[in-house]
Amino acid sequence: MREQYIRRRVPEFTGVTPGAITWTTAHGDLHWANLTGPALTLLDWEGWGTAPLGYDAANLYLHSLPVPDVAERIRKEFAHVLDTPAGWIGELTACTEILQAASRVPFYADLGDGVRRHLCHLHSAQVNCLLC
C-alpha cells in the first residue's frame, strides 16, 4: 500500500481527502477466501506489509456486506478500530480498492453497490455525503 495511491485514489472514489494516515502492519488481502477453520489460519500472505490502520478489518467487513448478519458481527467486533478517525482512513482505502476493481472484476462489481451504500453511511456519519 502506497501513500500516493491513497492520496490520489481515495478522493477520486470516495469524495474524501484523507488527513493524517496511521500506518500499521497488515495482511493486505483479508477476506473470507483467505481464512480457514475450525482452527483460524490466514492464507495468501504475498500482499502483507503496511496499510492504514483498520484496512484489514474494513476489507473483511466490506466482503461481508452480502451477508448482513455477518457484516454486523464483523463491524461490532472491530468497532474499536473502525470507529476512529484513523480507522476511517483504512476503511475508505478498502472501499476505494473494491470500487476501483469493480469495473473489471465481476466479483468486485457484485460488491460495488453495497460498498457505495456503506460509503454513504460513512459520509453521513462524518461529512455530507457526496455519493448518495
Side-chain angles (χ1 to χ4, degrees), residues 103-115:
S103 66
R104 59 185 193 283
V105 180
F107 173 77
Y108 291 114
D110 292 343
L111 289 176
D113 287 341
V115 170

Side-chain angles (χ1 to χ4, degrees), residues 119-132:
L119 273 172
C120 286
H121 171 75
L122 284 178
H123 277 277
S124 67
Q126 301 287 329
V127 296
N128 291 329
C129 184
L130 305 172
L131 304 170
C132 306

Side-chain angles (χ1 to χ4, degrees), residues 4-113:
Q4 298 90 328
Y5 172 85
I6 294 168
R7 299 276 176 218
R8 185 177 73 244
R9 296 296 186 186
V10 168
E12 179 183 341
F13 284 89
T14 71
V16 176
T17 300
I21 300 170
T22 302
W23 294 92
T24 190
T25 302
H27 176 273
D29 193 22
L30 188 61
H31 55 75
W32 296 108
N34 288 333
L35 294 171
T36 67
L40 177 64
T41 303
L42 294 172
L43 305 173
D44 190 21
W45 283 91
E46 73 258 8
W48 85 276
T50 58
L53 180 72
Y55 173 80
D56 279 340
N59 206 30
L60 186 60
Y61 170 73
L62 295 170
H63 282 83
S64 301
L65 290 175
V67 185
D69 291 345
V70 174
E72 182 179 336
R73 172 77 188 271
I74 297 297
R75 188 77 198 185
K76 180 181 175 186
E77 295 295 331
F78 291 103
H80 67 284
V81 174
L82 295 174
D83 293 344
T84 67
W88 193 50
I89 302 300
E91 196 161 3
L92 291 170
T93 302
C95 289
T96 296
E97 285 189 329
I98 289 171
L99 294 175
Q100 185 177 19
S103 66
R104 59 185 193 283
V105 180
F107 173 77
Y108 291 114
D110 292 343
L111 289 176
D113 287 341

